[in-house]
Amino acid sequence: MPSYTPPVADFEFLLFDVLEIEKHTDLRGYGDLDRATVHDVLEGAGKFMSQVLQPLNQSGDEEGCHYENGVVRTPKGFKEAYKAYCEAGWNRLGVPEQFGGAGLPIILTFAVAEMGSSSNQAFAMYPGLTAAAYSALLATGAPWMREHVATKMIAGDWTGTMCLTEPHCGTDLRLMKTKAVEQPDGTYRLSGTKIFISGGDHDLTDNIIHMVIAKIPDENGKIADDLSTVNFFMVPKFLVSEDGKMGARNGVSTGSIEKKMGIKANATAVLNFDEAVAWRLGPKPQPKAASADGKTSSSAGMKGMFGMMNAARLGVGVQGVAVAEVAYQNAVAYAKERLVGRALTGAKAPDKPADPEIVHPDVRRMLLFARTAAEGGRALATWISFLLGVASSARSEAERQAAGDIADLLTPVIKAFCTDMGFDAANAAMQVFGGHGYIRDHGMEQFVRDARINQTYEGANGVQALDLVGRKLGRNAGRAPFALFKIINDFVSAETGEAIKPFIGPLKAGVDRLQDATIWLAQNGMKNPDNAGAASVDYLRMFGIVTVGFLWARMTKAAQAKLAAKPANAAFYEAKLVSARFWMERMMPDTASLSERIKAGADGLMMLDAANF
Ligand SMILES: Cc1cc2nc3c(=O)[nH]c(=O)nc-3n(C[C@H](O)[C@H](O)[C@H](O)COP(=O)(O)OP(=O)(O)OC[C@H]3O[C@@H](n4cnc5c(N)ncnc54)[C@H](O)[C@@H]3O)c2cc1C
């Protein structure tokens, strides 16, 4: 059975030595983040996740969820673990105290989320999606929903879902058919089918609050073929009155649950809405008014939905980091024990029939890849969560805007880059086990299967790349990418010391290529949008490698400063330098080939007639 040790020391290194959060007591919630408090939260969360959730990971995968007689059953032990999780308060760490939470800043809730997902991704999705749903309800719901529905979700008594996907559309939501018709009492009747809904039905709680998008038909009952009439709704499984009482079953039923490749302990449901009572969220849609382009819009509440989707995209990026970490840990343990072959430079364990696997350079390549995917991804997630803290509570408007810009720019990057890396890391870690990785006993193939969905849900990674090049880069005349490039360039110029030089050279080469590719995209993507589409995935990867490379350089600086003071745990900082070197030597050079691919343009991809494929 696989094991998991929460990487508490690494979180603390990032928080205190790299980001120096103790210097930012002006940010909301940071005043209480002293070392002892942070240590207690991380230790406590890590202990719970690794001792309660992790032991259920493999059994949950084996057993899966079951749908019988209209009831969805989660695997053995999940119900008790969910109860314990909520009783301990891990589901509401970041919720403001006035709503019953601990009010901790997102920089800590991200860390706890990673440990939950490393321990048991399928389990962690139930409270994870609930948090995204109740945050949307707090932001857009009527006072009674905030008081009586969101609070129940925060307490863990009810869970939440996000219902976007339909059988014929997941990416292109313009095509959605689910509709909601207004009633005289101001509620709506919502009908349609939503598929692939994570945690869409289960036996963990009495009620489930579905957050659903649907179109409001026009006076003739027709629905528009674009997004102009899409609105955001709350649809409880069991009706809820305005004083919070749970009533009769609503018109939403579970058609089936999917048989799928991974995260088998998370029920992925087909939900049929049949005249279900729905409450529209957000401001009342304005009467339809034609805009300059002649189109009309009566869409409202979408801000809440986008907020929920953004939170979920960041959360999925963290899932990528989480699986890289746990897969790496298990691969290292195996590589130290498994005896196979002799080191190329002569026996390292001559008393044994063979050397441990870890002597081989290629095995070390796989291990260091997985390790740097986890630690580099964690650095990216932690930096983004820091930027979100600055964006929401820094004193100056300029600081808030600059941080918000970069966090927004990096949202598709963490989602796609960290989930691609997470999958590749899980795959490399499985390879370290040889054939034993492919069979089920060691749990490695489960990591690969679980990691795979992260690249697809919450917007396929190719679509994230389009978001980066098509929307995020050009917004406000490129303000965000230029601000990020300036931060990296300023760091490169300032760090001239001998010790850090070997790390700065590759970072400079990478950021130069990234800026060059950005200019190429601006020029050639305008000329032919297919050039932008053809380059997008390579460009996002380059963006991820360089941004994480920048963070590896910052980690290098922090580790070198620590080592200068001759600490007792010098091995931890020395290992950081080795990992940073791996990134600069073996990941950063990819930016050269990515640059060539980006500049190849779209012609070669587009010339073959579809019939000839
Ligand atoms: C286990 C699981 C859990 C899920 N959980 C949820 C959930 O809780 N709530 C929810 O609403 N949905 C959920 N989903 C749905 C998921 O978000 C969608 O499957 C995903 O967004 C892709 O949509 P699709 O499957 O319809 O693929 P399509 O939209 O048909 O796209 C197919 C492929 O085409 C490519 N593609 C599409 N558009 C473009 C484009 N413009 N440019 C380039 N390439 C493109 C992408 O590579 C994509 O993978 C879940 C799915 C699974 C499998």
Side-chain angles (χ1 to χ4, degrees), residues 316-379:
V316 174
V318 170
Q319 288 179 329
V321 177
V323 71
E325 172 68 39
V326 68
Y328 163 72
Q329 287 187 14
N330 285 281
V332 171
Y334 190 82
K336 285 183 185 171
E337 285 199 351
R338 178 79 174 169
L339 299 181
V340 48
R342 285 290 181 201
L344 297 171
T345 49
K348 295 289 182 278
D351 53 324
K352 298 206 169 118
D355 283 336
E357 189 188 330
I358 199 161
V359 301
H360 302 297
D362 188 55
V363 171
R364 285 163 168 261
R365 174 191 63 76
M366 293 190 281
L367 292 174
L368 279 164
F369 171 75
R371 178 185 178 116
T372 55
E375 293 181 8
R378 179 174 305 122

Side-chain angles (χ1 to χ4, degrees), residues 134-152:
Y134 69 58
S135 301
L137 211 50
L138 288 178
T140 58
W144 73 268
M145 297 175 198
R146 291 205 291 273
E147 197 181 329
H148 295 301
V149 182
T151 45
K152 286 254 177 19

Side-chain angles (χ1 to χ4, degrees), residues 162 164-165 169-171 196-198 268 453 456-458 460 463 466:
M162 272 174 66
L164 284 73
T165 305
C169 68
T171 308
F196 297 163
I197 304 308
S198 296
T268 307
I453 188 56
T456 301
Y457 61 17
E458 272 322 309
V463 175
L466 279 183

Side-chain angles (χ1 to χ4, degrees), residues 241-490:
S241 61
E242 294 201 6
D243 58 1
K245 297 220 169 58
M246 213 171 95
R249 183 80 196 234
N250 200 358
V252 46
S253 59
T254 300
S256 60
I257 58 169
E258 307 293 349
K259 293 191 170 64
K260 56 192 195 291
M261 176 177 179
I263 54 163
K264 291 179 191 244
N266 191 278
T268 307
V270 174
L271 296 180
N272 295 316
F273 295 87
D274 185 11
E275 300 259 306
V277 178
W279 284 266
R280 204 185 43 70
L281 301 167
K284 185 135 184 77
Q286 294 305 304
K288 281 190 171 190
S291 59
D293 58 8
K295 289 203 167 163
T296 58
S297 176
S298 58
S299 180
M302 298 305 280
K303 208 171 150 209
M305 195 207 69
F306 285 124
M308 184 173 77
M309 282 168 65
N310 264 340
R313 283 202 287 171
L314 296 170
V316 174
V318 170
Q319 288 179 329
V321 177
V323 71
E325 172 68 39
V326 68
Y328 163 72
Q329 287 187 14
N330 285 281
V332 171
Y334 190 82
K336 285 183 185 171
E337 285 199 351
R338 178 79 174 169
L339 299 181
V340 48
R342 285 290 181 201
L344 297 171
T345 49
K348 295 289 182 278
D351 53 324
K352 298 206 169 118
D355 283 336
E357 189 188 330
I358 199 161
V359 301
H360 302 297
D362 188 55
V363 171
R364 285 163 168 261
R365 174 191 63 76
M366 293 190 281
L367 292 174
L368 279 164
F369 171 75
R371 178 185 178 116
T372 55
E375 293 181 8
R378 179 174 305 122
L380 181 62
T382 311
W383 190 42
I384 293 176
S385 61
F386 173 73
L387 290 170
L388 289 170
V390 176
S392 66
S393 66
R395 281 204 195 102
S396 86
E397 163 63 21
E399 263 183 286
R400 289 198 299 272
Q401 183 194 74
D405 278 354
I406 296 175
D408 185 49
L409 176 73
L410 292 176
T411 298
V413 177
I414 184 174
K415 195 287 175 182
F417 183 67
C418 288
T419 59
D420 283 349
M421 294 289 286
F423 178 77
D424 291 347
N427 207 20
M430 186 177 83
Q431 187 72 15
V432 169
F433 278 69
H436 298 274
Y438 194 74
I439 57 135
R440 298 186 81 156
D441 294 8
H442 292 279
M444 298 308 285
E445 55 83 48
Q446 184 190 347
F447 294 137
V448 178
R449 287 186 286 105
D450 285 357
R452 185 61 186 82
I453 188 56
N454 301 334
Q455 297 171 292
T456 301
Y457 61 17
E458 272 322 309
N461 282 359
V463 175
Q464 303 296 328
L466 279 183
D467 179 45
L468 177 66
V469 302
R471 287 201 205 105
K472 300 281 157 78
L473 278 187
R475 197 174 276 172
N476 299 311
R479 194 170 73 196
F482 288 120
L484 177 63
F485 299 156
K486 182 169 179 332
I487 289 173
I488 301 178
N489 284 324
D490 287 351

